[in-house]
Amino acid sequence: MYTEIINKVKLNLGENKDLNRKYLVSQIEKYKNHPYNTEIIKELSRMLWDCLDDEEKREYIEISENETPIIDILEEIFPIIENGKYDDALDKLDKFMKSFPPLFEDDSVSEYHYFTNQLEEDIFNEYIGAEKVVRYIPYNQPILDLYYIYGFLFLEAKDLENAEKYLKKALNINPVSARILLELSEIYRIKAPNFNKFFIYTTQALKYAYYPQDIARCYRNLGQYYMEEMNLEVAAALYNYSMKYELNPLAYTKLQHIKSKGINSELSLEECLSLIESKKIQIDVNPFIIKRLDNLSNKYDKKQDLNKALYFYELQYDLTHDEIILQKIKNLKTILNH
């Protein structure tokens, strides 16, 4: 029915943009109470946008970029969060959210996403894929960060129901975000006595992670999982291996605890790898990610898009510590600084 209506409207459009605008406005009014009104009105609004001339589009964009309530509230609460005043930040954000209209919500035709970079979009396309038409949320509408921070603050307040609700909203926008998956795993560490969801969300995060600190956190999470399973030897291997990516005091503390139980926690690299592989846990960063980083950095380097090339080379180097990549980074920085 949706497709038939849209096709019928398109057939009635002509060359005169002013007449088209008036017609589309009338159709928006006509279908406002239709069962598919959300999807129809969104598509008619896109068609209405195409009827604007360049000057009208420019004026609209300028107004949209200047009106950034999401950015404004995030900038207001960031210093409060940095000062550790989570309750105050939650109070301010809660008041904002109560008056915040729903934006960029999926419907039966479209799904809305925001990816931090091309790598994340490539990961999404490789492992998940879109079921509907993908619409990209504009960069000046950071609703992903809004939901993530709101969920994080609820988690800090031990309101697990709302934390899960808003973190899942964030995950729907970016299903391959390791940071969101790891925050959700924390909810299930607290909620689920059998740790099944804690394990599942952590292994998903490990699959998509490309920051060393996220990979380290995944291995620490898995170490916690195997401690709860009373498999302390595997837990020791995971905590040890996590320190390849981040020297976190929590890992040392857990290893000391394991040692106090009479288990050898000072394992060699080979012993760690053998124990981790025995549980079929991913070793190091997903090879697909390394391959894509190599392709992206080389692509932008060849196109002389040096800032993007540098960005992807640095991500690549943080994971591989490849001296050739390091030299490319140095060369690019020299060029960009002149």
Side-chain angles (χ1 to χ4, degrees):
M1 184 178 290
Y2 162 83
T3 305
E4 291 173 1
I5 291 169
I6 296 302
N7 287 339
K8 181 180 176 182
V9 170
K10 286 180 178 178
L11 285 172
N12 288 321
L13 295 176
E15 296 297 323
N16 189 312
K17 289 190 175 183
D18 287 334
L19 290 177
N20 287 344
R21 272 194 271 189
K22 291 176 182 177
Y23 172 67
L24 288 168
V25 169
S26 72
Q27 295 304 293
I28 288 172
E29 181 65 23
K30 176 181 176 180
Y31 290 107
K32 67 180 182 181
N33 295 317
H34 191 277
Y36 285 89
N37 64 331
T38 301
E39 295 84 353
I40 293 168
I41 290 171
K42 282 181 182 177
E43 186 58 34
L44 294 180
S45 297
R46 294 183 192 108
M47 294 159 69
L48 191 58
W49 169 263
D50 291 336
C51 293
L52 300 179
D53 60 35
D54 290 342
E55 182 62 23
E56 288 171 323
K57 288 179 180 178
R58 186 187 63 76
E59 289 177 0
Y60 179 83
I61 290 169
E62 284 181 359
I63 293 169
S64 299
E65 288 179 346
N66 290 330
E67 294 180 359
T68 55
I70 299 175
I71 294 174
D72 293 342
I73 187 63
L74 291 178
E75 288 180 347
E76 184 179 349
I77 66 170
F78 277 149
I80 303 172
I81 293 172
E82 288 172 357
N83 288 328
K85 297 179 179 178
Y86 297 143
D87 289 342
D88 292 345
L90 181 56
D91 285 343
K92 282 187 176 291
L93 191 51
D94 206 34
K95 289 174 185 174
F96 173 83
M97 293 299 286
K98 283 175 181 174
S99 62
F100 181 70
L103 294 175
F104 308 111
E105 295 194 337
D106 292 358
D107 54 46
S108 62
V109 176
S110 306
E111 56 185 80
Y112 290 84
H113 295 295
Y114 179 86
F115 302 106
T116 307
N117 53 43
Q118 183 62 51
L119 173 63
E120 288 185 354
E121 187 170 357
D122 290 347
I123 296 169
F124 171 79
N125 289 332
E126 177 71 13
Y127 292 108
I128 298 176
E131 295 180 359
K132 306 171 188 174
V133 176
V134 172
R135 309 286 184 189
Y136 294 98
I137 298 172
Y139 74 93
N140 66 332
Q141 300 289 339
I143 195 167
L144 174 69
D145 292 331
L146 181 71
Y147 287 148
Y148 171 75
I149 292 167
Y150 201 30
F152 166 79
L153 290 172
F154 275 126
L155 181 56
E156 290 295 317
K158 302 294 187 287
D159 184 343
L160 302 185
E161 183 178 348
N162 275 314
E164 183 177 22
K165 174 183 176 180
Y166 285 98
L167 286 170
K168 281 191 170 179
K169 279 179 172 284
L171 188 66
N172 190 56
I173 292 170
N174 186 344
V176 298
S177 171
R179 64 172 180 158
I180 298 170
L181 287 163
L182 286 168
E183 290 304 316
L184 277 165
S185 77
E186 184 64 16
I187 293 172
Y188 303 125
R189 183 186 69 79
I190 299 167
K191 280 180 68 174
N194 60 11
F195 271 16
N196 284 345
K197 283 189 175 180
F198 174 68
F199 181 86
I200 291 167
Y201 276 80
T202 296
T203 52
Q204 281 183 332
L206 182 58
K207 185 176 182 178
Y208 305 142
Y210 58 89
Y211 286 118
Q213 61 269 31
D214 288 341
I215 296 171
R217 186 177 171 187
C218 289
Y219 285 127
R220 290 197 301 271
N221 274 12
L222 292 169
Q224 181 66 34
Y225 174 83
Y226 282 102
M227 283 187 73
E228 296 293 331
E229 293 287 304
M230 298 306 295
N231 194 333
L232 299 186
E233 195 174 23
V234 172
L238 288 157
Y239 281 119
N240 272 296
Y241 204 68
S242 75
M243 291 190 286
K244 174 181 177 180
Y245 291 96
E246 183 182 46
L247 299 175
N248 189 291
L250 178 62
Y252 288 104
T253 302
K254 295 291 186 180
L255 286 168
Q256 289 303 309
H257 176 75
I258 292 169
K259 187 176 181 180
S260 73
K261 299 293 183 181
I263 303 296
N264 177 26
S265 63
E266 297 177 6
L267 303 172
S268 67
L269 175 61
E270 289 75 18
E271 288 171 322
C272 289
L273 290 171
S274 176
L275 285 163
I276 294 170
E277 287 175 340
S278 74
K279 296 299 179 182
K280 295 182 170 38
I281 294 169
Q282 177 183 305
I283 299 292
D284 297 318
V285 65
N286 183 343
F288 173 80
I289 289 175
I290 295 295
K291 182 179 177 181
R292 287 305 301 146
L293 282 172
D294 188 54
N295 290 342
L296 288 166
S297 53
N298 284 318
K299 179 180 82 171
Y300 288 116
D301 202 345
K302 288 176 183 176
K303 291 173 68 174
Q304 293 294 296
D305 193 338
L306 302 187
N307 284 305
K308 284 185 181 178
L310 178 61
Y311 172 76
F312 288 114
Y313 276 134
E314 287 181 332
L315 289 177
Q316 195 176 354
Y317 178 74
D318 286 344
L319 294 168
T320 65
H321 300 289
D322 187 318
E323 290 298 318
I324 296 174
I325 300 299
L326 179 59
Q327 189 56 53
K328 289 181 178 181
I329 291 170
K330 290 177 179 178
N331 293 342
L332 283 179
K333 286 183 173 179
T334 299
I335 295 168
L336 289 168
N337 289 333
H338 278 78

